[in-house]
Amino acid sequence: MTAKRILVTGASGCIGHYICDRLIRETSHDLFLLVRNPQKLKFDYNARPGVTILQADLREIEQFADLLKTIDTAILTATAWGGAQEVYDINVLKTLRLMNLLDPDVCQQVIYFSTASILGRHNQLLKEAGQLGTDYIKSKHNCFQQLPRLAIAHRITTVFPTLVFGGDGQKPYSHLTSGLPEVAKWINLIRFFKADGSFHFLHGEDIAQVVLHLIEHAPAPGESRQLVLGNSAITVNQAVEQVCHYLNKPISVRIPLSTQLADLFIVLFRIQMEAWDRFCLSYRHFTYENPVSPASYGLPTYCPTIADLLKVSGVVR
């Protein structure tokens, strides 16, 4: 394995933790980890030589211009979730600025993390994401549209995570994993309904496995450099059935959850619905063509099923 000089942004996030932990434990690459607060890093970055912490906000990326010219692999997981101006600055302006500071003759691959929410069912750009999406989704839609204009565009591998799970005592919890205990709490009600919908998911450990594979095996000329990250699609009803099986909850009568009934629940429980939430409620099937997981490369998958997710997330039967 030839040693590389790898930059990772967003090292303190959920996905960043899984990627950095594996890079430190399983490779000898020189790592440069950009993070605002090193105290948030739960992995041991002193475990071996060759790991450098770059303490800064992505908005200050210009101070590392000289270093960036020497980077041959960049893994861009950093993102901002809230605050319209911060989201635009981080997810669009400074992400593009960073890629412009890389040397296309030196950097062999940029692995850029977008989101599957900006894609339609045939992996095409979804116009509603740019029109109705949250600030986060709109920013990812905006940034992706600008990638072809960059000098390093031919080196960019864009990955589109679907629903991301992960986190434990040594890694930050993803938003979805934080909500799993609530699923167990509400399953006694949920199991009496069935709904039309489907989705993909992938655990952070499996995302890291895919990224490590891409570092050593970048897409060849002619191969797609746009990869949706997820296990095979699963329907909402299948997911409920798997949760019930895991928790030993029997399923008897199931009432179809129509749009009208869903609207009634929204009113009764005073659920706040934004434009994007309304779109998702009607769109329902967030599925994609050719999703990529470790299994796509003949590698073992850490969490291929809902039961695996519940087990590793500590949901008690």
Side-chain angles (χ1 to χ4, degrees):
M1 181 187 296
T2 303
K4 300 179 184 292
R5 291 172 62 82
I6 299 177
L7 170 75
V8 182
T9 69
S12 63
C14 177
I15 292 176
H17 263 74
Y18 281 100
I19 293 172
C20 292
D21 186 47
R22 294 195 71 149
L23 282 170
I24 291 171
R25 290 187 292 107
E26 300 178 20
T27 79
S28 58
H29 299 312
D30 289 326
L31 307 178
F32 300 88
L33 313 181
L34 181 70
V35 59
R36 285 182 292 184
N37 184 2
Q39 293 183 351
K40 291 185 177 181
L41 299 177
K42 298 183 179 182
F43 52 82
D44 184 6
Y45 51 84
N46 293 313
R48 67 165 176 83
V51 181
T52 301
I53 301 299
L54 307 176
Q55 184 175 0
D57 190 291
L58 187 60
R59 285 174 286 196
E60 305 164 335
I61 194 61
E62 284 84 0
Q63 68 179 286
F64 302 111
D66 291 341
L67 171 66
L68 292 175
K69 297 300 182 186
T70 73
I71 295 296
D72 52 42
T73 302
I75 304 169
L76 309 185
T77 75
T79 195
W81 297 91
Q85 190 59 53
E86 180 181 3
V87 166
Y88 181 73
D89 287 346
I90 297 294
N91 298 356
V92 183
L93 291 182
K94 292 304 179 178
T95 294
L96 294 172
R97 178 60 174 152
L98 188 158
M99 286 190 259
N100 274 322
L101 289 171
L102 297 168
D103 186 341
D105 294 326
V106 175
C107 187
Q108 297 303 300
Q109 183 174 203
V110 178
I111 301 176
Y112 163 64
F113 274 74
S114 184
T115 171
S117 295
I118 70 170
L119 299 180
R121 295 183 190 119
H122 301 294
N123 298 14
Q124 83 284 6
L125 201 60
L126 183 66
K127 66 178 181 180
E128 288 85 355
Q131 297 169 348
L132 306 175
T134 62
D135 290 335
Y136 165 76
I137 291 172
K138 287 179 180 176
S139 70
K140 292 295 187 179
H141 189 278
N142 184 331
C143 188
F144 180 68
Q145 286 184 302
Q146 298 192 52
L147 297 184
R149 305 173 192 168
L150 303 179
I152 203 166
H154 62 296
R155 303 288 194 188
I156 300 174
T157 301
T158 303
V159 294
F160 302 88
T162 51
L163 299 183
V164 176
F165 291 85
D168 54 35
Q170 298 302 313
K171 297 178 180 68
Y173 287 97
S174 74
H175 178 70
L176 290 173
T177 295
S178 298
L180 282 179
E182 290 297 308
V183 173
K185 175 182 175 182
W186 286 97
I187 196 63
N188 285 328
L189 174 62
I190 295 171
R191 63 188 169 135
F192 292 112
F193 295 92
K194 58 182 179 179
D196 181 31
S198 50
F199 59 93
H200 304 264
F201 68 88
L202 203 61
H203 193 277
E205 191 70 68
D206 290 318
I207 292 175
Q209 176 93 313
V210 170
V211 169
L212 261 67
H213 176 84
L214 291 174
I215 289 172
E216 303 303 329
H217 306 280
E223 292 183 346
S224 175
R225 298 197 76 115
Q226 298 176 14
L227 308 175
V228 174
L229 302 183
N231 292 314
S232 297
I234 182 173
T235 68
V236 171
N237 294 331
Q238 288 172 332
V240 171
E241 290 162 7
Q242 290 184 28
V243 172
C244 287
H245 179 74
Y246 179 84
L247 296 174
N248 296 312
K249 300 287 185 180
I251 297 178
S252 52
V253 177
R254 301 186 76 179
I255 303 169
L257 186 61
S258 65
T259 301
Q260 293 78 11
L261 186 55
D263 286 338
L264 176 60
F265 283 147
I266 290 168
V267 173
L268 288 176
F269 291 99
R270 299 179 181 179
I271 300 172
Q272 297 296 317
M273 297 288 288
E274 302 296 336
W276 179 248
D277 301 316
R278 288 286 182 186
F279 170 75
C280 293
L281 193 61
S282 62
Y283 192 73
R284 298 182 182 177
H285 294 277
F286 284 87
T287 56
Y288 308 94
E289 296 178 352
N290 305 313
V292 171
S293 72
S296 305
Y297 305 111
L299 302 170
T301 304
Y302 180 66
C303 276
T305 69
I306 296 293
D308 294 318
L309 283 179
L310 296 173
K311 182 177 180 181
V312 303
S313 300
V315 177
V316 179
R317 292 176 183 268

